[in-house]
Amino acid sequence: MKRTVLIVLSGAAAFALTAAQAATDTGVLGYGGPGNELNPNGQALDLLRDPSGLSLLDDITRTPTGLLYPLPYAYPDMTQSKGDPDIWSTGWIEGGVLGSWGPNTRSAMFNEYGDWSTDPLLASLGFRMENRKTAWFLTGLAENIGRSDQYYQMKTGRYGEYNFTLFFDSVPHVYSTEAKSLYTGVGTDNLTLRGGLVPGASTPAQVNAVLATAPPTELQVTREKAGFSGSYTPWQTIEAFFQVSNEWRNGTQPISATFGYPFENGATQIIEPIHYRTLDLTTALRYKEDDFQANLTYTGSFFRNSDLSLTWQNPGLAQVPPGSYLPAEGLLSLPPSNEYNSLKGDVAALLSPDLRFSASLSYGMMRQDASLLPPTIDTGIIPGAGGPINLADWNTTSALSRLSADAGINLFNAFAQLQYFASSDLSFDFELRDHNETNLTNYLAYNPQTGLYGYIAIDGGLAPFSPLLSGVYQPNAPGDVVQIRNMPFANDNLELTARGSYRIASHVKLDLSYIHNAVEHSVREVPNGNDNRFRLQVAANGFDRGSIRVSYEYGPLLGSDYT
């Protein structure tokens, strides 16, 4: 990284006709509203603060905890339409020239999340319109139009009944603007050595010579996201919500790979292609009364990666013993396509003035069934702890026990709470929490062609240094320890809590609680555990000179036998 001094001039030729508040819906998951580095709040830039603040008595308002509320913006009044007196509207446009200069205006840190290129800038363009008779409204907003950090939003609906939002935003992420790579094919799933370098047989001098003539490469990932959301309240007690969004990530980013340990010159810096797409879907039904509320929510997320793996040629700088095997190519798996589905229901009820109840249940499923890669793509003979290993028996998918991952995890969460206020000084609280995780993945690394267990470690690059690190289990080799199966860690954690509180005096409170925690593990040396904790606590606070808390806890912690 170069240390540079940058001077930025932001154009002052901006003008505003009128301004309006940017409409954002923070209830939309994955989209918190418009904004970028130049305008983080997504507002028209020249809005002043409202001098009356949030109170007519004081222009500085604080939260109950003492934090300062920011003064709200002072938005100009809307203009009444002459053709239709019910329509009121306002609009704004703000533009100028953005310029930057200095020793290196292309610095990756300077441009990391924003577009600071020297060009005319249409910073903000928008409007707001509403019918004050029917409560219909329409708003539009666009920022940094035509730049890589642009965003757009349009929202319409009827106040208190329904609304629909359509949005698009773009965020760049620059990792480097002057990276030098040994490879051609950057941005694809196949990296080939440039400059005539021979895979697995290049010298340091040859590599340095190619790097000296390699052009600088920009490593950048751009995230673009488009979506639609809507909500509808047909009655005062019922609300329906829906959102769908699609996110694209495209570009390149640095990633590390290896054919051995770093002190053996086995580390290699390569460039990963990013071609991701994620579809998110959320829908909810909400019911609300004064004494009862309930929600039912479905959430789905579907991730797709168009590149299953990354293949790159080995420069050949690993310091292996003379005549030993050296991989010519490497194979690296990339994030696999996967999906997640979740259904959650929760309720809250005021059963009586002294009794409150709340509960929630959720069930989630994570699935991934991408095609599996062969243990290696190279050919040759590597040393094993129990004898030589021919990579020709391991470089196709015929060396796998199955062809796809068939991986899955199920999640179940339950919560229930009952609160009883016997008097203004005495209260009771009972809680139940259960978290159950089930791992459905069960993969055995077994090669039906050879009858051996294991998986070639980093294309056989470690075997020349230590045959025990070949990745293949050979039963005739003493001390050969190889992981041949995935570890399906799963557990069921149940926690029960009972708590009573009594206020002895206006500033003195007595608490007595009992917590029972039962854990059931799978594939663990200690499969079960039970904790029981009793706690007695006295707290005195609210005094001028300080507060004091004294507690005593007793907890027998029990578990099953160690296996």
Side-chain angles (χ1 to χ4, degrees):
M1 182 184 299
K2 288 187 177 180
R3 181 174 298 174
T4 60
V5 179
L6 298 174
I7 303 175
V8 182
L9 174 64
S10 181
F15 64 95
L17 300 178
T18 52
Q21 182 177 10
T24 58
D25 185 355
T26 56
V28 178
L29 299 179
Y31 178 66
N36 53 30
E37 283 193 328
L38 188 63
N39 183 10
N41 295 325
Q43 308 281 9
L45 298 184
D46 289 342
L47 288 181
L48 301 177
R49 296 289 183 174
D50 191 341
S52 62
L54 298 176
S55 171
L56 298 177
L57 303 177
D58 190 357
D59 61 347
I60 298 178
T61 307
R62 295 185 180 273
T63 67
T65 59
L67 296 177
L68 183 66
Y69 276 119
L71 295 179
Y73 289 104
Y75 293 98
D77 295 332
M78 290 185 174
T79 302
Q80 188 176 21
S81 171
K82 296 180 180 180
D84 187 348
D86 296 332
I87 300 295
W88 294 71
S89 62
T90 184
W92 68 94
I93 181 172
E94 189 164 25
V97 177
L98 179 65
S100 59
W101 64 88
N104 186 4
T105 58
R106 295 186 65 251
S107 165
M109 184 170 290
F110 176 58
N111 296 280
E112 187 172 9
Y113 293 110
D115 188 343
W116 299 96
S117 56
T118 302
D119 285 303
L121 173 68
L122 186 54
S124 182
L125 174 66
F127 68 91
R128 185 178 183 88
M129 181 184 301
E130 64 184 26
N131 188 316
R132 297 189 175 179
K133 182 179 180 180
T134 64
W136 170 84
F137 69 91
L138 175 66
T139 66
L141 177 66
E143 294 271 351
N144 286 11
I145 298 174
R147 291 175 173 256
S148 61
D149 57 354
Q150 61 189 333
Y151 60 84
Y152 306 86
Q153 181 192 77
M154 182 167 288
K155 192 170 184 178
T156 186
R158 183 177 180 182
Y159 293 118
E161 183 176 352
Y162 66 90
N163 70 80
F164 300 100
T165 301
L166 185 66
F167 67 88
F168 173 84
D169 62 42
S170 176
V171 177
H173 186 180
V174 180
Y175 294 93
S176 176
T177 58
E178 52 186 22
K180 289 204 169 186
S181 174
L182 287 174
Y183 299 96
T184 60
V186 171
T188 70
D189 61 354
N190 190 12
L191 299 177
T192 305
L193 289 170
R194 66 168 76 234
L197 294 177
V198 179
S202 302
T203 65
Q206 293 171 336
V207 169
N208 288 333
V210 171
L211 280 175
T213 59
T217 300
E218 182 175 273
L219 304 182
Q220 173 180 331
V221 174
T222 301
R223 189 217 72 186
E224 297 178 327
K225 189 169 188 176
F228 171 78
S229 67
S231 66
Y232 178 51
T233 308
W235 299 282
Q236 186 176 0
T237 57
I238 294 180
E239 179 186 4
F241 171 80
F242 173 81
Q243 178 202 285
V244 60
S245 66
N246 202 14
E247 179 179 290
W248 301 266
R249 292 177 183 259
N250 290 286
T252 54
Q253 69 181 25
I255 189 174
S256 295
T258 184
F259 293 101
Y261 291 116
F263 57 83
E264 300 159 350
N265 288 343
T268 306
Q269 291 292 321
I270 58 178
I271 298 175
E272 177 185 2
I274 304 296
H275 302 294
Y276 300 164
R277 181 173 60 86
T278 304
L279 176 67
D280 290 324
L281 176 65
T282 301
T283 182
L285 184 64
R286 301 163 180 165
Y287 181 84
K288 50 188 177 181
E289 291 182 346
D290 292 340
D291 298 334
F292 181 80
Q293 296 180 5
N295 300 303
L296 182 63
T297 305
Y298 163 77
T299 301
S301 183
F302 308 90
F303 172 80
R304 297 294 181 263
N305 186 357
S306 60
D307 295 320
L308 180 65
S309 62
L310 175 61
T311 303
W312 78 99
Q313 293 181 336
N314 181 12
L317 300 182
Q319 298 174 352
V320 297
S324 297
Y325 167 82
L326 191 62
E329 288 186 305
L331 180 66
L332 183 69
S333 64
L334 298 179
S337 299
N338 60 84
E339 58 187 52
Y340 170 74
N341 293 275
S342 173
L343 185 65
K344 179 182 180 182
D346 55 79
V347 298
L350 184 63
L351 303 179
S352 71
D354 303 326
L355 193 62
R356 301 175 182 174
F357 175 76
S358 60
S360 70
L361 289 174
S362 68
Y363 188 76
M365 298 184 299
M366 294 181 282
R367 297 292 185 268
Q368 189 266 101
D369 195 26
S371 298
L372 298 179
L373 302 177
T376 184
I377 56 174
D378 286 282
T379 57
I381 306 297
I382 63 173
I389 299 173
N390 189 347
L391 296 183
D393 296 329
W394 297 83
N395 60 8
T396 67
T397 55
S398 298
L400 303 175
S401 59
R402 66 167 179 255
L403 298 180
S404 64
D406 193 21
I409 292 178
N410 292 342
L411 297 173
F412 172 79
N413 287 283
F415 167 79
Q417 182 185 48
L418 182 66
Q419 294 177 303
Y420 175 59
F421 300 90
S423 67
S424 58
D425 297 325
L426 179 63
S427 64
F428 298 94
D429 189 349
F430 304 94
E431 288 186 8
L432 178 149
R433 297 177 184 270
D434 185 35
H435 172 82
N436 185 289
E437 178 179 327
T438 304
N439 195 320
L440 306 177
T441 310
N442 186 11
Y443 181 76
L444 176 65
Y446 172 74
N447 186 341
Q449 298 183 133
T450 63
L452 296 177
Y453 295 87
Y455 196 91
I456 300 296
I458 56 174
D459 290 286
L462 287 177
F465 302 99
S466 175
L468 285 172
L469 301 179
S470 67
V472 178
Y473 173 72
Q474 295 175 296
N476 62 329
D480 192 2
V481 180
V482 175
Q483 180 180 331
I484 63 172
R485 184 187 294 275
N486 72 295
M487 298 182 181
F489 291 140
N491 64 79
D492 185 6
N493 191 329
L494 175 65
E495 184 175 286
L496 303 175
T497 302
R499 183 184 300 109
S501 299
Y502 180 70
R503 189 170 297 280
I504 301 174
S506 58
H507 296 291
V508 181
K509 188 177 181 181
L510 174 67
D511 289 325
L512 177 63
S513 62
Y514 164 71
I515 301 176
H516 170 72
N517 186 225
V519 182
E520 295 182 3
H521 294 293
S522 66
V523 199
R524 294 291 179 93
E525 291 85 350
V526 180
N528 301 318
N530 288 281
D531 300 348
N532 294 277
R533 302 193 299 276
F534 301 87
R535 177 183 297 170
L536 179 64
Q537 176 177 287
V538 178
N541 52 37
F543 299 103
D544 294 338
R545 297 184 179 273
S547 61
I548 186 171
R549 179 175 64 88
V550 179
S551 65
Y552 174 78
E553 181 176 309
Y554 172 74
L557 313 179
L558 306 175
S560 55
D561 292 339
Y562 180 89
T563 303

